[in-house]
Amino acid sequence: MESVVGGENQRRLNKYACACAIVGSMISIIFGYDTGVMSGAMIFIKEEFEVKEAQLEVLAGILNLCALVGSLCAGRTSDYIGRRYTIALASLIFMLGSVLMGYSPNYNVLLAGRCIAGVGVGFALMIAPVYAAEISSPKTRGFLSSLPEIGISIGILLGYISNNLFAKLTLKLGWRVMLGIAAIPSLILAIGILKMPESPRWLIMKGRIGEAKKIMYKVCDDEEEAQQRLKDIKRAAGIDENCTDDIVQISKSGQKAQTGGVWKELLLKPTPTVRRMLLAGVGIHFFEHATGTEAVILYGPRIFKKAGVTARKKLLLATVGVGLTKLIFITISTFIIDRVGRRKLLITSIAGMIVSLTGLATCLTVVEQSDEKLIWALVMSLIFVYTFIMFFNVGLCPVCWVYSAEIFPMKLRAAGASVSVAVNRVMNATVSMTFLSLSNAITIGGAFYLYAGMAVLALFFVYFCLPETKGRSLEDMEEIFSKHSIAKNSKKELELANS
């Protein structure tokens, strides 16, 4: 074992649990790569196929609409076949999409490949953080559940680098290699994930206590911790915590709760506590993209071009800088999230995003209204883009995924995360497919003023609707989200603020 973070809640990182979370997060690298590489590939796709702006918007956003379908299917699928096999399935689906995109003789085939890859993305975004959260301890859950976001950031950076490397190839070959090469790691992951253990919480839900016990002893630091976590999980699953049988027959009512009853408890007739959890999970995913991050990531080259960077090589290099900044600050967040806490990171992050978005909107508005090239506006636009990336990735980006993966009760976790990710994909697609049209309608500066306004709403939402969860077990979440607990936490924060 090794110490990860010092301070009041010093914790030790279980190496086996960390290895499981890392392998499970590899699917996020592949998704991040596709997101990053498409920003540069669209330049060459437009040139070869001579497509219109609206078609580029569809190409950018269709992945997220298809990911919506994938994420909604992933919850039910992972409850049925397990978390591990769901990751393998996501990898195979994405591999098929990548092969089709790399082949693409025309725009329609390219769009079909992107749709298939999108379904795989939906599966991946839902299952990777859930798997990491379920296999980790309360003290390291924030760190391990953030690894998928680090994976996405690494993938985006690799995508940007791929743009620069393969741009030297011929027009017909370059962008096809950029998109098709992702099939190789997808196949490797589909095979490699089968060597990893299943989530012990899923195994207990299925009555496979003996298998869960063996895995729990590997992912815990000592026997006492393993036994306590097993008792908590068995109690949450409705199994006698003192049960020592290797196999437990799940009652018919329990099996029903794992099928249709899940959606009834989550969406149709939720308890007040579950309703607050759903609001928190859906809300934070809504605001992750409503604040405009996809516009900056996917249309980075266009923003830099609007600010005055016109050479293609410089445009692609500037996006590499965005990817590197994203990776650095999301890594920082991963190492401090369990010490600082979710709420403080979110509030600090969103406050910085408000300033950055307002500054970027102002500078781009000045550039648009000026007839000459303003160096100061160019420089400040670049600075505000990078500060936005910094603040977004140190808080809202990673915490969003950690939070939605940890707050739902065990039997509702996959379904709850699935609905949250579905909302995430809808918003991602909405921003991806409307940014060009929006910036043409109200100017690019006006678009970022709009995103700044959404960030203000996000700040109020986080302050009033999201209680702190750091250091608490997954089985404690219902208590945390009870009305009494939320009111108590809010009162305590107000008293601290006034003192």
Side-chain angles (χ1 to χ4, degrees):
M1 318 302 168
E2 57 188 76
S3 178
V4 179
V5 179
E8 182 181 353
N9 293 316
Q10 187 171 8
R11 56 189 169 86
R12 299 180 71 80
L13 180 65
N14 182 283
K15 292 180 180 178
Y16 187 75
C18 184
C20 293
I22 289 173
V23 174
S25 300
M26 291 296 179
I27 186 68
S28 300
I29 297 179
I30 300 168
F31 161 58
Y33 174 84
D34 185 76
T35 300
V37 80
M38 184 55 75
S39 67
M42 283 195 297
I43 298 173
F44 306 103
I45 291 169
K46 182 180 181 181
E47 186 176 340
E48 179 176 342
F49 292 150
E50 298 180 351
V51 293
K52 299 176 181 178
E53 293 285 349
Q55 290 175 296
L56 286 181
E57 284 186 324
V58 171
L59 184 64
I62 198 70
L63 179 133
N64 296 296
L65 289 180
C66 294
L68 166 64
V69 176
S71 63
L72 289 174
C73 294
R76 181 74 181 88
T77 302
S78 68
D79 279 342
Y80 184 70
I81 67 174
R83 316 315 195 203
R84 182 179 55 157
Y85 285 116
T86 303
I87 295 176
L89 179 61
S91 301
L92 290 175
I93 294 172
F94 196 89
M95 181 191 72
L96 291 175
S98 298
V99 169
L100 201 56
M101 286 191 290
Y103 164 71
S104 297
N106 54 54
Y107 175 81
N108 291 332
V109 175
L110 175 62
L111 194 64
R114 190 126 170 102
C115 286
I116 294 173
V119 175
V121 166
F123 272 82
L125 288 174
M126 175 265 152
I127 197 60
V130 167
Y131 179 75
E134 290 191 340
I135 212 159
S136 56
S137 69
K139 296 294 183 183
T140 60
R141 190 176 61 245
F143 174 78
L144 295 182
S145 298
S146 296
L147 291 180
E149 276 302 308
I150 288 187
I152 291 175
S153 299
I154 292 173
I156 288 174
L157 178 59
L158 291 175
Y160 290 157
I161 293 172
S162 175
N163 287 151
N164 282 273
L165 289 177
F166 297 123
K168 300 173 184 177
L169 300 176
T170 61
L171 176 63
K172 290 185 177 294
L173 182 62
W175 66 265
R176 289 181 171 86
V177 175
M178 294 177 194
L179 298 176
I181 201 171
I184 298 173
S186 298
L187 179 60
I188 294 172
L189 177 60
I191 298 170
I193 192 64
L194 299 180
K195 299 291 184 181
M196 292 293 103
E198 183 51 83
S199 160
R201 284 179 167 86
W202 181 81
L203 289 171
I204 290 177
M205 276 205 310
K206 297 299 179 181
R208 294 155 63 178
I209 310 297
E211 293 177 61
K213 185 176 181 181
K214 291 177 183 178
I215 295 170
M216 192 62 80
Y217 275 96
K218 291 182 178 181
V219 299
C220 293
D221 291 336
D222 52 58
E223 185 176 337
E224 182 181 353
E225 180 192 351
Q227 290 178 346
Q228 185 57 53
R229 287 176 66 184
L230 279 169
K231 285 183 178 180
D232 291 341
I233 298 169
K234 283 189 282 188
R235 187 167 56 247
I239 299 172
D240 183 1
E241 63 181 59
N242 296 314
C243 175
T244 57
D245 296 339
D246 286 346
I247 302 291
V248 174
Q249 188 67 36
I250 303 297
S251 65
K252 291 183 178 180
S253 60
Q255 292 175 357
K256 184 179 178 181
Q258 291 177 22
T259 55
V262 167
W263 295 108
K264 182 178 179 181
E265 289 186 45
L266 183 68
L267 299 176
L268 301 180
K269 293 184 178 180
T271 64
T273 298
V274 170
R275 192 180 297 115
R276 293 186 195 100
M277 291 175 172
L278 187 61
L279 174 64
V282 167
I284 194 171
H285 276 281
F286 171 86
F287 283 114
E288 185 194 14
H289 290 290
T291 49
T293 178
E294 199 65 19
V296 176
I297 296 294
L298 197 57
Y299 296 106
R302 290 175 176 271
I303 295 171
F304 291 133
K305 191 172 183 179
K306 200 72 175 179
V309 181
T310 53
R312 178 184 290 180
K313 186 175 181 180
K314 289 183 179 179
L315 284 172
L316 294 177
L317 285 175
T319 59
V320 171
V322 169
L324 188 59
T325 304
K326 179 178 176 65
L327 176 59
I328 290 171
F329 281 87
I330 209 165
T331 302
I332 292 172
S333 173
T334 299
F335 282 95
I336 65 175
I337 187 172
D338 285 314
R339 180 173 58 182
V340 176
R342 283 58 158 161
R343 276 176 61 85
K344 287 183 181 178
L345 273 182
L346 283 171
I347 290 171
T348 302
S349 167
I350 296 172
M353 288 166 59
I354 293 170
V355 174
S356 301
L357 287 167
T358 304
L360 178 60
T362 303
C363 289
L364 291 175
T365 299
V366 170
V367 168
E368 280 191 315
Q369 294 181 352
S370 176
D371 294 329
E372 57 186 49
K373 189 174 182 179
L374 301 175
I375 301 299
W376 70 267
L378 164 62
V379 173
M380 290 304 298
S381 294
L382 294 175
I383 290 174
F384 282 125
V385 166
Y386 283 105
T387 54
F388 171 81
I389 295 296
M390 287 164 49
F391 280 110
F392 175 72
N393 286 284
V394 85
L396 183 57
C397 179
V399 175
C400 170
W401 296 94
V402 172
Y403 205 82
S404 63
E406 69 184 1
I407 60 176
F408 294 100
M410 183 165 63
K411 67 179 179 180
L412 302 180
R413 186 168 300 124
S418 179
V419 172
S420 299
V421 172
V423 171
N424 184 287
R425 294 300 89 192
V426 168
M427 290 309 301
N428 190 309
T430 300
V431 174
S432 300
M433 299 175 74
T434 61
F435 177 70
L436 295 180
S437 301
L438 183 65
S439 58
N440 288 334
I442 63 173
T443 74
I444 191 169
F448 281 102
Y449 276 127
L450 177 62
Y451 297 142
M454 296 303 297
V456 173
L457 294 178
L459 189 62
F460 281 100
F461 174 78
V462 168
Y463 187 82
F464 289 107
C465 299
L466 271 60
E468 183 56 74
T469 58
K470 76 165 183 174
R472 302 292 295 271
S473 73
L474 295 179
E475 287 66 43
D476 287 340
M477 294 302 160
E478 289 187 73
E479 177 191 342
I480 293 172
F481 275 86
S482 68
K483 187 175 182 180
H484 172 73
S485 180
I486 292 178
K488 185 178 178 182
N489 290 337
S490 299
K491 183 178 179 182
K492 185 177 179 181
E493 288 197 7
L494 287 172
E495 289 175 351
L496 289 173
N498 294 330
S499 62

